[in-house]
């Protein structure tokens, strides 16, 4: 599936309005759950019209292994903030194992392993106070990481919980340097996700597909995404979403063929 999303709020982990089409980015147990080779490609532009606003590129590829309960995949996410000031690329290999827990229900366990490559160019920053900026740039610093997930799904219902990154990498620690220097430390915190959704048949040609994504991370408010979309004639989807205390969103999508879907989302901030 091919989705295009535009979002509007900063977090450590990238956020996606069309998360229901991009589940493997937050839950490795989703790998192979569609029963066939699947791809999601996504571009997200945040704060449209502002110079240096964040951009996110995302590519997921996953498939089950034929005649087995194992799924596998690869996930690549690239963040660009400040026209190249901060560039971070996440590359992960994903594997899942699925159990049949009922005639039409499956329970999958997922593991991902990989890491992120971070570059930061302090020389491109604009300095708004008298303190000198750090001079030690970060150039392609690699930090390993791994994540876990669990995913339950039937033909109409799904629910999953995950922690995509278990290791809390630290950056920019100069606390041991001269006392006159600015002391600061950045830590990648664990993000806990829960996702669920259901498909209702309203009539022969119309389906209703509500979904919820919840994210919890230490030091930030609870993030809750609520969406309600409709699928008409298995071709055209449309709906709306609300990010709690943050933004409203509109979503549309069109099934170009049996194999390919194109989608667009637009977020409008509700905060100042």
């Amino acid at each position: 599936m091919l989705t295009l999303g535009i979002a509007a709020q900063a977090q450590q982990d990238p956020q996606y309005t069309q998360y229901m089409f991009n589940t493997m980015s937050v839950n490795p147990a989703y790998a192979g759950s569609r029963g066939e080779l699947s791809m999601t490609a996504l571009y997200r532009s945040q704060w449209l019209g502002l110079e240096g606003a964040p951009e996110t590129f995302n590519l997921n590829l996953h498939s089950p292994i034929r005649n087995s309960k194992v799924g596998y995949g690869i996930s690549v996410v690239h963040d660009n903030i400040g026209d190249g000031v901060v560039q971070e690329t996440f590359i992960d290999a994903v594997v899942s194992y699925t159990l049949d827990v009922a005639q039409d229900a499956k329970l999958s366990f997922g593991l991902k392993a990989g890491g992120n490559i971070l570059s930061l160019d302090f020389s491109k920053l604009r300095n708004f106070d008298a303190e000198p900026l750090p001079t030690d740039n970060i150039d392609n610093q690699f930090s390993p990481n791994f994540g876990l997930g669990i995913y339950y799904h039937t033909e109409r219902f799904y629910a999953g919980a995950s922690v995509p990154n278990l290791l809390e990498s630290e950056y920019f620690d100069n606390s041991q340097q001269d006392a006159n220097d600015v002391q600061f430390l950045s830590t990648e915190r664990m993000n806990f996700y829960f996702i669920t959704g259901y498909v209702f048949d309203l009539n022969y040609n119309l389906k209703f597909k509500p979904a919820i994504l919840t994210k919890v991370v230490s030091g930030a408010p609870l993030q809750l995404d609520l969406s309600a979309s409709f699928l008409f004639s298995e071709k055209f989807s449309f709906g709306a979403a609300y990010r709690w205390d943050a933004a409203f969103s509109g979503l549309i999508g069109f099934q170009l063929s049996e194999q390919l879907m194109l989608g667009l989302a637009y977020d409008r901030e509700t905060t100042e």
Side-chain angles (χ1 to χ4, degrees), residues 163-184:
V163 185
N165 296 298
L166 288 168
L167 301 182
E168 297 188 334
S169 301
E170 295 183 343
Y171 307 99
F172 322 127
D173 184 6
N174 67 344
S175 59
Q176 305 303 317
Q177 297 182 17
D178 190 284
N180 293 324
D181 288 344
V182 178
Q183 298 183 9
F184 57 98

Side-chain angles (χ1 to χ4, degrees), residues 14-236:
Q15 62 189 16
Y16 307 101
T17 302
Q18 303 229 43
Y19 53 85
M20 65 292 294
F21 300 121
N22 196 36
T23 307
M24 202 180 80
S25 289
V26 298
N27 193 334
Y30 184 77
S33 64
R34 292 176 56 82
E36 57 193 2
L37 178 65
S38 303
M39 183 188 77
T40 301
L42 182 145
Y43 168 72
R44 164 179 170 260
S45 178
Q46 177 175 304
W47 301 329
L48 287 170
L50 291 183
E51 182 183 353
E55 295 178 301
T56 300
F57 303 86
N58 174 239
L59 177 66
N60 291 326
L61 188 69
H62 63 101
S63 173
I65 295 178
R66 184 176 297 180
N67 300 323
S68 77
K69 298 180 180 294
V70 178
Y72 67 97
I74 185 170
S75 173
V76 179
V77 179
H78 178 72
D79 263 341
N80 177 24
I81 304 173
D83 288 334
V85 174
V86 181
Q87 297 191 66
E88 193 165 16
T89 302
F90 303 83
I91 303 175
D92 296 291
V94 180
V95 64
S96 68
Y97 186 81
T98 300
L99 299 174
D100 295 321
V101 294
Q103 185 174 358
D104 64 341
K106 300 179 183 295
L107 182 65
S108 301
F109 302 89
L111 170 68
K112 77 169 191 176
N116 65 301
I117 302 169
L118 175 67
S119 294
L120 194 155
D121 187 351
F122 286 106
S123 67
K124 293 183 179 180
L125 291 175
R126 298 176 183 173
N127 195 358
F128 289 98
D129 57 37
E131 293 291 341
L133 290 169
T135 56
D136 296 332
N137 292 338
I138 296 176
D139 187 22
N140 294 324
Q141 177 180 327
F142 178 77
S143 299
N145 218 316
F146 66 97
L148 301 171
I150 185 171
Y151 185 73
Y152 173 86
H153 62 104
T154 68
E155 190 173 329
R156 294 186 176 273
F157 172 77
Y158 61 90
S162 59
V163 185
N165 296 298
L166 288 168
L167 301 182
E168 297 188 334
S169 301
E170 295 183 343
Y171 307 99
F172 322 127
D173 184 6
N174 67 344
S175 59
Q176 305 303 317
Q177 297 182 17
D178 190 284
N180 293 324
D181 288 344
V182 178
Q183 298 183 9
F184 57 98
L185 176 67
S186 174
T187 303
E188 294 275 1
R189 300 193 181 277
M190 284 191 293
N191 290 252
F192 299 86
Y193 289 87
F194 175 76
I195 187 171
T196 187
Y198 196 88
V199 180
F200 296 91
D201 283 329
L202 299 183
N203 58 45
Y204 179 76
N205 284 321
L206 188 63
K207 294 181 179 180
F208 176 50
K209 304 170 68 175
I212 299 173
L213 177 67
T214 304
K215 182 170 73 172
V216 178
V217 57
S218 173
L222 172 72
Q223 181 176 310
L224 182 63
D225 285 74
L226 308 170
S227 70
S229 61
F230 298 87
L231 179 62
F232 178 72
S233 192
E234 301 292 339
K235 289 286 187 182
F236 180 66

